[in-house]
């Protein structure tokens, strides 16, 4: 891991894929490489709700990155100081060794440059004290970036607030006498006899 | 040189405020206005730079050579293109009369200029895309409250419960409402989501009902039945502000939850549970009124039932409910100027081509018209022939149902003039193309954003135009000058227009610099719910029995007619939107196309196996009006009576190479039928046959 922590609060994510475009726009990448990806899982029934889960897949900036180990020219580097893994494009010769080595598909191919590109937490922005593009412009603010101790545990905070809201609700809301929830199975309604129906 | 410029996004119609960073004359960064959106921006917003640099957008004025749609163009100068267009327009006006010219656009900040142009020309036929989206919502709101839906805001952040009917808020997204609703959810608000298929909004909901397609009205009649039967409504509010409760009570008597269960497939007990729940949460309850419900021929009655539900909850002009928008005058400011308010500008006269406000749609809103009537008016020359069509940032060919019929209709015109930024299907089919600069390259008229807290926003030019394009305010003025109507366009620059807009307001252009907008009120302006509500109906109240409807010969309450299920082997075609595309305008954007290059056909698993269709396989879809070929998405999460596809694909313009021929177009399949009162197209009225592609 790097010194930084990129936390994705998947319960608040709406899978709008804007992070992917924010990233590409900031890096001015052509169609093709996607440095972070939103993977959609589901839907599957959870109670009566067709739940969709999202997994945010940037680079994980491993402790001992295989991409760095595989790189023959030293272009792929782990930055001393904060541990961010990045590509030095002056050294990259486009051999794709890093792409084959990474189990997560983090290094991607830039067909215009003929070189590998990857998530570097938007180094240029981080060095100016800014958040990575994906985090800065996230629609629902479900992405959080910083040193671990700086990143508020968004999910825990939300849960606490929800519990607090519920506690007040229990006393306020009338008991609901509806039936126990069970998943609905939609049935196709039979078409009427055309003569009768017309 | 690096500088930040506040502006307004225009990748879709929502008008999110943005901050653009420009360095050495190039756009380096675009983010949501931090004072309003915490910097957030959607995928479309960020893809604005890809649009800016796209070599496939319209780059210079063109006149058609060869046949319509053949794709042979001659690059011309602006003077040549404008002269040619003006001469053709003049010919139509001189030979056939000004009413034979129609102007269609997507409502935008410069709509007051195009309305001025049409009124100066003497034609009543300015129309917008609105009716294709929500014409019946507009009409329904006016029949009940006297206000249009556009004059009503939703107080998402303070709500306790929001009920969405196919309003797929998290995919067909607007930034401010999403952020506000998620904040409300953090505070314990609940979401009930009703749709014929599962969506991401359903995934975030607390209750999801997969309703039988087309039966939303039955559900609402049953909800109203329970709310009145069990006295769950806001009695004080209803007694003071509503007329026609007795009639409504008698009307919903037969529509029990058990009856609705049979029609909608939603268990009666659950309908009762929702009614009781919202009864305990009123008035902070929102029955959301648009945009995607059952799109049928009795659409207006469904929309009316939604407004009625809000009225019963007492949620109209309530915190956490719907709030009637306030303008500058309510905030103690002067009036906001529009070019269309010039004293000597002729008033629109004569029957409109679409019959809005006239014989065909007496109570539909003539400020927008009924766009779906365009092909029918042209083909049938009813009420009179149309000769010339000006289209601005709108694609009637791919927005109005029945693509083939649209094409046939456009063929009959003497002139199709398109002002756009991309090759739409209509642009490809036109005679003259005048390319507009994109939103990052131009300034526009100031936006008056009415609301609980009214504010002014400004779209400012960030960089000079990349190609030989012009802003709309300049194009329309040049066209007007060539038709000897220049006196109605008394401006030389955008600053002149801003001055005209702000003249009586007591706000100056400098006031926009700090945050990109000018807030006209510190706190939300809410009228007193006991005595201060100002409904614009004849009675001054919410009219369940509507004088507007009854006086024009329409029933206030429509007895429910059972929805016909599709015959064996056929499905009801339903359509919708995604988070990464805007209607029919972004499918060729390099970044957005990469995320979602084509649409697929959602098909219920059991039905698919009966038809021998596997997930991911290509299928052919046929209707009585057209044909489409696309991949199948076989899933349990769609109602077996329906199939679903995203709108805006199946494009047939070779010049837009990225989206050309990908997926299928819903408009190629749909029949062009509209709600007879409000004018919304019955987008979900078409049955299709599906089979594996050969």
């Amino acid at each position: 891991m790097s010194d930084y922590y990129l936390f994705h609060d998947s319960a608040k994510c709406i899978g709008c894929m804007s992070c992917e475009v924010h990233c590409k726009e900031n890096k001015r990448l052509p169609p093709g490489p996607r440095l972070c990806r939103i993977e959609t899982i589901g839907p599957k029934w959870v109670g009566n709700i067709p739940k969709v889960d999202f997994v945010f897949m940037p680079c994980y900036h491993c402790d001992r990155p295989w991409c760095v180990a595989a790189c023959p020219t030293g272009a792929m580097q782990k930055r001393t100081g904060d541990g961010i893994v990045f590509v030095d494009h002056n050294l990259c010769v486009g051999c794709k060794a890093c792409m084959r080595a990474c189990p997560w598909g983090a290094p991607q191919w830039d067909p215009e440059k003929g070189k590998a590109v990857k998530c570097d937490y938007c180094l240029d922005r981080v060095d100016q004290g800014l958040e990575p593009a994906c985090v800065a412009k996230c629609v629902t603010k479900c992405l959080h970036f910083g040193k671990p101790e700086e990143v508020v545990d968004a999910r825990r905070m939300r849960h606490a607030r929800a519990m607090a809201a519920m506690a007040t609700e229990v006393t306020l809301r009338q008991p609901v006498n509806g039936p126990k929830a069970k998943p609905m199975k939609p049935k196709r309604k039979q078409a009427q006899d055309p003569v009768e129906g017309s | 040189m690096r500088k930040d410029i506040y502006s307004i996004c225009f990748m879709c119609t929502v008008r999110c405020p943005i901050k653009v960073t420009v360095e050495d004359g190039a756009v380096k960064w675009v983010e949501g206005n931090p004072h309003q959106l915490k910097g957030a921006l959607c995928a479309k917003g960020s893809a604005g730079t890809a649009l800016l640099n796209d070599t496939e957008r319209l780059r210079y004025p063109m006149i058609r050579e060869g046949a319509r749609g053949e794709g042979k163009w001659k690059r011309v100068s602006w003077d040549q293109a404008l002269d040619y267009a003006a001469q053709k327009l003049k010919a139509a006006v001189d030979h056939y009369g000004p009413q034979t010219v129609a102007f269609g656009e997507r409502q935008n900040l410069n709509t007051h200029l195009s309305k001025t142009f049409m009124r100066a020309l003497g034609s009543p036929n300015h129309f917008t895309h609105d009716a294709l989206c929500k014409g019946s919502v507009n009409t329904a709101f006016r029949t009940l409250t006297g206000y249009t839906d556009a004059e009503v805001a939703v107080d998402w952040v303070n709500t306790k419960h929001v009920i969405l009917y196919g309003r797929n808020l998290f995919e067909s997204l607007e930034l401010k409402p999403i952020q506000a609703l998620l904040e409300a959810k953090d505070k314990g608000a609940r979401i009930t989501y009703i749709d014929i298929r599962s969506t991401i909004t359903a995934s975030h909901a607390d209750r999801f009902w997969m309703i039988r397609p087309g039966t939303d009205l039955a559900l609402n009649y049953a909800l109203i039945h329970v709310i009145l039967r069990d006295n769950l409504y806001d009695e004080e509010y209803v007694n003071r502000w509503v007329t026609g409760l007795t009639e409504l009570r008698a009307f919903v008597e037969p529509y029990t939850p058990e009856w609705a269960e049979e029609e909608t497939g939603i268990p009666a007990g659950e309908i009762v549970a929702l009614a009781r729940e919202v009864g305990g949460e009123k008035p902070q309850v929102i029955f959301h009124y648009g945009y995607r419900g059952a799109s049928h021929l009795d659409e207006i009655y469904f929309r009316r039932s939604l407004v009625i539900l809000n009225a019963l909850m007492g949620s109209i002009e309530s915190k956490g409910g719907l709030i009637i928008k306030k303008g500058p005058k309510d905030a103690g400011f002067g009036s906001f100027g529009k070019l269309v308010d010039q004293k000597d500008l002729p008033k629109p006269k004569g029957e409109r081509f679409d019959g809005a406000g006239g014989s065909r749609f007496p109570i539909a809103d003539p400020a927008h018209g009924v766009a779906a009537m365009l092909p029918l008016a042209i083909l049938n020359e009813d009420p009179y022939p149309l000769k010339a069509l000006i289209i601005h940032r709108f694609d009637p060919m791919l927005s109005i149902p029945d693509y083939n019929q649209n094409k046939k209709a456009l063929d009959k015109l003497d002139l199709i003039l398109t002002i756009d930024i991309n090759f739409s299907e209509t642009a490809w089919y036109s005679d003259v193309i005048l390319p507009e600069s994109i939103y990052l390259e131009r300034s526009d008229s100031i936006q008056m954003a009415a609301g609980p807290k009214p504010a002014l926003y400004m779209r400012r030019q960030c960089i000079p135009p990349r190609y030989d394009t012009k802003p709309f305010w300049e194009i329309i003025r040049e066209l007007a000058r060539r038709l000897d109507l220049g006196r109605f366009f008394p401006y030389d620059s955008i600053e002149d227009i801003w001055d005209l807009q702000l003249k009586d307001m007591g706000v100056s252009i400098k006031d926009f610099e700090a945050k990109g907008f000018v807030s006209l009120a510190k706190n939300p302006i809410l009228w007193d719910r006991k005595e201060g509500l100002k409904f614009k109906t004849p009675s001054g109240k919410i009219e369940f029995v509507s004088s507007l409807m009854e006086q024009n010969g329409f029933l206030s309450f429509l007895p429910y007619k059972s929805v016909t299920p599709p015959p064996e082997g056929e499905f009801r075609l339903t359509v919708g939107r995604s988070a990464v595309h805007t209607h029919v305008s972004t499918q060729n954007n390099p970044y957005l196309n990469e995320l979602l290059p084509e649409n697929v056909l959602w098909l219920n698993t059991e039905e698919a196996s009966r038809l021998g269709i596997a997930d991911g396989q290509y299928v052919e879809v046929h209707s009585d009006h057209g044909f489409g070929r696309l991949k199948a998405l076989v899933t349990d999460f769609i109602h077996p009576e329906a199939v679903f596809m995203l709108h805006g694909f199946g494009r047939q313009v070779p010049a837009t190479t990225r989206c050309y021929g990908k997926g299928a177009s819903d408009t190629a399949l749909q029949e062009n039928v509209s709600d007879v009162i409000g004018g919304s197209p019955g987008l979900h009225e078409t049955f299709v046959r599906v089979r594996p592609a050969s």
Side-chain angles (χ1 to χ4, degrees), chain B residues 330-331 333 452-455 518-525:
Chain B
D330 300 284
F333 285 80
K453 283 164 69 178
V518 179
S519 194
L520 302 181
K522 266 211 176 95
N523 299 309
I525 304 168

Side-chain angles (χ1 to χ4, degrees), chain B residues 137-261:
Chain B
V137 187
N138 176 322
T139 309
F141 255 101
R142 283 186 299 115
T143 63
L144 282 150
T145 66
Y147 292 99
T148 70
D149 63 308
E151 292 172 299
V152 176
V154 179
D155 186 14
W156 298 100
V157 74
N158 292 309
T159 192
K160 283 189 182 161
H161 199 143
V162 47
I163 300 97
L164 303 166
Y165 294 75
R167 173 71 185 97
N168 189 3
L169 191 74
F170 292 150
E171 284 183 87
S172 183
L173 56 83
E174 296 174 56
L175 293 179
K176 270 187 220 173
I178 288 181
Q179 291 188 343
L181 183 58
L182 286 172
E183 199 181 322
K185 246 190 115 178
D186 276 353
K187 294 189 290 186
R190 293 168 62 79
I191 300 173
T192 291
Y193 184 73
I194 302 152
D195 202 340
I196 54 132
R197 64 175 188 126
S198 99
T199 64
I200 290 171
T201 312
S203 171
H204 281 266
D206 300 281
R207 177 191 280 115
F208 169 64
W209 287 340
M210 193 187 285
I211 193 168
R212 212 187 124 224
T215 63
D216 302 37
L217 184 60
L219 168 65
N220 280 358
Y221 280 172
L223 280 171
I224 296 171
H225 174 101
V226 179
I227 287 168
L228 292 181
R229 184 191 69 191
D230 298 355
N231 281 328
L232 297 165
Y233 61 98
D234 187 334
E235 227 172 316
E236 199 188 335
Y237 181 94
V238 170
N239 288 342
R240 173 66 185 88
W241 293 115
V242 166
T243 67
L245 185 71
T246 323
E247 289 85 345
L248 178 68
R249 202 183 276 276
F251 173 77
V252 295
E253 187 63 30
Y255 301 116
T256 62
E258 290 72 26
W259 162 84
E261 172 173 340

